[in-house]
């Protein structure tokens, strides 16, 4: 069910994108700093490119806290293993009765 809904959503977004591209066939040149100019490119291609770059940058920024949590989790696991080894060593020590 979830796969079907995601397929329908993808198809809907794709069809909207195609209709947008067909309704905006104008070409524009991208002017950058220092007199650099790229193009001309269709408006729809530029918008798709900007969207993809934004999605990639957003994904990288959103993954930074996850990487920090992963690193903290790994550090805590190592610490826990060290403590378990210490506990195991302490359990093997002989008990001494004090008078």
């Amino acid at each position: 069910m979830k796969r079907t809904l995601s397929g329908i959503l993808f198809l809907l977004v794709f069809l909207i994108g195609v209709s947008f591209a067909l309704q905006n066939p104008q070409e524009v040149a991208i002017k950058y700093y220092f007199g650099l100019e790229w193009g001309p490119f269709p408006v729809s291609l530029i918008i798709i490119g900007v969207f993809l770059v934004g999605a990639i940058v957003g994904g990288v920024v959103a993954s930074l806290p996850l990487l920090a949590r992963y690193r903290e989790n790994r550090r805590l696991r190592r610490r826990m293993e060290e403590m378990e080894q210490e506990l195991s060593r302490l359990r093997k020590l002989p008990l001494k009765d004090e008078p």
Side-chain angles (χ1 to χ4, degrees), residues 7-95:
I8 291 171
L9 181 64
F10 176 77
L11 184 62
L12 181 65
V13 169
F14 179 75
L15 290 175
I16 290 172
V18 168
S19 69
F20 177 79
L22 291 175
Q23 291 181 7
N24 295 291
Q26 301 88 356
E27 291 189 350
V28 295
I30 299 174
K31 295 181 182 178
Y32 203 63
Y33 298 107
F34 310 114
L36 294 176
E37 186 173 320
W38 293 347
F41 297 109
V43 172
S44 57
L45 183 63
I46 293 172
I47 291 175
I48 290 170
V50 169
F51 177 77
L52 288 176
V53 168
I56 290 169
V57 170
V60 168
V61 170
S63 69
L64 291 177
L66 293 175
L67 291 174
R69 282 191 212 133
Y70 175 75
R71 192 170 36 241
E72 178 71 11
N73 189 12
R74 192 173 55 194
R75 185 186 67 80
L76 290 173
R77 280 185 197 268
R78 263 193 241 126
R79 179 74 177 132
M80 185 179 70
E81 287 173 3
E82 290 171 2
M83 294 178 111
E84 285 176 348
Q85 289 174 358
E86 182 180 356
L87 182 61
S88 176
R89 282 192 304 258
L90 289 173
R91 285 181 176 162
K92 289 179 183 177
L93 288 175
L95 294 176

